[in-house]
Amino acid sequence: MCYAIPGKVIEIKDKIARIEYFGEQKQAINEIDELCVGDYIYAQGGYVIKLIPKPEAESILATWKETFFDLQEVDLRLSKMDLEESGLDRKLTVILDKAAEGIQLKEQELLYLLNLKDPKELGLLYKFANFLRQKHLKNSCCVHGIIEFSNYCSQGCAYCGISTHNKDINRYRMTKEEIYQAADIAINKYGFQALVLQSGEDSHYLVDDLCEIVSTIKKRWPCLIFASFGEVGLDGIGKLYKAGARGLLMRFESSNPEVYSKLHPGRDIKSRLAHLEAAYKLGYLIITGGLVGLPGQTNEDLLNDILLTRRLKTEMYTFGPFLPHPMTPLADTPPPLTKDILKVLAVARLADPVNAKILVTTGFETLDPKARELGLMAGANSVMLNVTPEKFSKNYTIYPNRAHSSENIQSQIETTLTLLRSIGRAPTDLGVAL
Ligand code: SAH
């Protein structure tokens, strides 16, 4: 977003640019023909997004310089830990010690962590996940924007408030022009560089329309676009890539085929996974994960969800709570607890310590107003802000009382930056660390 840090290109080899800022080096895929060594750029999700004129970049870097090191210091202080002093269960410290040494944990060990109940032990798990996050990814934090452009949906997902179950909802569909306007504001007024375009499965927009929307935005403004339109077919995934989409946000919701098929009448998890796999092969960045707290879901299922997310070579993990919506068949199913979500975020970090971007979802913030800070201190390092115009966004009721739904973009940004600063994080998504 607008507060991201410009990087200097120090080498270009084929399509890979090596970038440096404040002594740190990253690499990013470059699709800008005129890019040269010495140029300053912004990158997001491992892609070079745009060139920044030198004087502008130098002035931004000058303002960042002190803050950047101050933030790193705060982050380092908050993420320090000493396992020897913890005085807790031996099995737990042995597992964490292993992880600290960079040894990949076994499934049984990850399950042991998901089964923890004692608040002190859980506290240690979260703290350790935060320690690993800092160790491997420093204080970098991704801040993406999301535009929810249609709440029409042809699917009957049992939990979802915009599904066909809900007959008591104001359906809306933004026009192409309204979508462009929202993207323009997000990119040019607020400085977002990565945008998710999301909708229900709305047959009004054919794949060709979706392609037109993606390519128009890409042509007009430099940005990274994540498509999140549901199952558009493998052909559709290919067409959207050609149109310029470089990311796919699609949760598999639950890796347990039985749980999945009960919640998604007429759907097969294989089809969703085929979309994710095809997208990865094409070069998409993948954002996926599942719902936590679904009826019939066990900790073994959650472990499998985390392992599946890792297997899918996911760029960003998205795990959030199931929240009951009164107009759905799951209206009376209680939501999970804050600790259930934190555990999943922390165990995801332990399962994929080096590369994972882990999102604190709006669903989690709806469950617990402190979720963002709690999640970021338990292994997570990404947030997504809603940049849908308010008059539409209030009707994107996948679950009730969505956090931030009546908050304007400016205020969301300010609150986010205040929080990030207070815990020493910087929105510095500059690609893959070298
Ligand atoms: N059509 C797109 C987007 C679906 S809505 C797709 O199929 O991927 C986006 C996400 O909202 C879903 O993936 C689901 O995980 C989440 N969601 C829907 N209903 C929810 C609920 N009641 N509680 C929590 N999350 C919910």
Side-chain angles (χ1 to χ4, degrees):
M1 46 190 292
C2 36
Y3 305 92
I5 302 179
K8 189 174 189 175
V9 178
I10 54 170
E11 184 187 273
I12 305 173
K13 252 195 206 153
D14 302 320
K15 281 194 132 194
I16 306 292
R18 187 190 285 261
I19 300 149
E20 197 256 346
Y21 67 99
F22 300 133
E24 288 184 19
Q25 287 192 11
K26 306 254 176 131
Q27 59 183 28
I29 299 168
N30 173 45
E31 296 180 322
I32 303 176
D33 289 339
E34 62 270 25
L35 191 76
C36 299
V37 169
D39 284 344
Y40 286 92
I41 55 112
Y42 279 133
Q44 279 280 312
Y47 275 91
V48 176
I49 300 293
K50 72 168 181 187
L51 277 158
I52 318 163
K54 195 173 173 195
E56 189 185 327
E58 284 176 346
S59 120
I60 301 171
L61 283 170
T63 12
W64 257 113
K65 199 167 177 191
E66 259 174 51
T67 327
F68 183 75
F69 293 108
D70 287 351
L71 289 175
Q72 279 202 334
E73 224 177 272
V74 173
D75 181 36
L76 189 63
R77 178 162 48 77
L78 293 177
S79 60
K80 268 216 174 101
M81 76 177 302
D82 189 347
L83 280 175
E84 273 167 24
E85 274 179 24
S86 67
L88 285 165
D89 174 56
R90 173 116 183 92
K91 182 158 182 191
L92 176 58
T93 42
V94 168
I95 294 177
L96 299 186
D97 263 336
K98 257 178 89 172
E101 281 170 33
I103 301 168
Q104 191 167 92
L105 296 181
K106 297 200 180 100
E107 293 184 16
Q108 280 314 313
E109 292 167 329
L110 295 169
L111 186 60
Y112 177 84
L113 299 175
L114 282 172
N115 284 333
L116 289 177
K117 287 199 177 63
D118 178 75
K120 256 184 147 178
E121 294 180 351
L122 285 173
L124 185 71
L125 170 67
Y126 307 153
K127 207 164 179 238
F128 184 77
N130 188 37
F131 161 78
L132 279 187
R133 186 270 317 149
Q134 194 283 332
K135 178 174 169 196
H136 294 292
L137 294 144
K138 302 250 174 64
N139 68 341
S140 159
C141 184
C142 290
V143 185
H144 292 357
I146 178 164
I147 300 174
E148 295 142 345
F149 63 89
S150 165
N151 70 355
Y152 280 88
C153 190
S154 58
Q155 296 304 310
C157 307
Y159 44 82
C160 185
I162 65 166
S163 66
T164 49
H165 297 288
N166 192 353
K167 309 284 184 233
D168 185 25
I169 176 176
N170 289 326
R171 299 278 171 184
Y172 73 87
R173 177 181 294 125
M174 289 166 66
T175 62
K176 288 179 184 167
E177 276 315 314
E178 284 168 333
I179 299 172
Y180 302 148
Q181 223 173 49
D184 183 9
I185 293 175
I187 297 166
N188 298 308
K189 181 165 176 198
Y190 294 111
F192 283 90
Q193 293 166 43
L195 280 187
V196 176
L197 301 179
Q198 190 176 84
S199 66
E201 291 198 8
D202 178 2
S203 54
H204 171 86
Y205 279 122
L206 305 174
V207 169
D208 287 343
D209 293 307
L210 298 171
C211 289
E212 186 188 327
I213 294 169
V214 169
S215 68
T216 305
I217 297 177
K218 288 279 295 184
K219 255 182 234 140
R220 292 192 187 170
W221 311 291
C223 62
L224 178 64
I225 293 187
F226 286 82
S228 184
F229 317 129
E231 296 186 30
V232 292
L234 302 190
D235 252 26
I237 293 283
K239 284 185 176 172
L240 284 162
Y241 188 84
K242 280 204 189 104
R246 289 292 175 270
L248 178 72
L249 189 171
M250 183 189 264
R251 281 178 170 170
F252 53 77
E253 316 293 1
S254 169
S255 62
N256 179 331
E258 246 171 69
V259 173
Y260 186 92
S261 64
K262 271 195 195 137
L263 298 172
H264 305 95
R267 285 266 158 120
D268 189 334
I269 188 165
K270 285 191 193 129
S271 161
R272 221 149 159 95
L273 295 179
H275 279 74
L276 287 160
E277 282 159 6
Y280 180 76
K281 279 197 194 121
L282 281 169
Y284 276 92
L285 301 167
I286 302 295
I287 304 184
T288 191
L291 286 165
V292 179
L294 291 169
Q297 191 179 46
T298 62
N299 279 348
E300 281 81 359
D301 290 337
L302 290 172
L303 170 66
N304 288 329
D305 288 355
I306 293 169
L307 297 175
L308 174 58
T309 312
R310 186 172 72 185
R311 248 194 336 272
L312 290 166
K313 313 265 188 346
T314 297
E315 161 86 2
M316 188 182 284
Y317 286 58
T318 166
F319 279 90
F322 150 74
L323 298 166
H325 189 292
M327 298 302 289
T328 62
L330 299 187
D332 297 326
T333 305
L337 302 172
T338 296
K339 69 172 170 53
D340 300 324
I341 310 301
L342 287 174
K343 254 197 285 190
V344 170
L345 300 183
V347 173
R349 170 60 61 206
L350 268 74
D352 197 353
V354 179
N355 295 312
K357 288 172 181 156
I358 300 177
L359 189 66
V360 179
T361 62
T362 310
F364 190 18
E365 291 183 72
T366 305
L367 180 73
D368 186 329
K370 291 213 180 76
R372 199 179 271 174
E373 177 163 1
L374 293 173
L376 289 170
M377 296 302 283
N381 58 349
S382 304
V383 292
M384 217 174 259
L385 305 189
N386 199 316
V387 294
T388 314
E390 267 171 270
K391 67 171 173 178
F392 298 116
S393 134
K394 66 173 195 281
N395 289 316
Y396 200 79
T397 47
I398 44 181
Y399 43 77
N401 307 316
R402 256 191 336 150
H404 313 295
S405 60
S406 55
E407 205 181 324
N408 65 42
I409 306 175
Q410 182 65 42
S411 129
Q412 282 190 69
I413 292 180
E414 279 163 20
T415 334
T416 307
L417 289 176
T418 307
L419 171 65
L420 292 184
R421 264 187 223 117
S422 75
I423 57 171
R425 307 294 172 87
T428 55
D429 180 18
L430 266 174
V432 186
L434 291 175

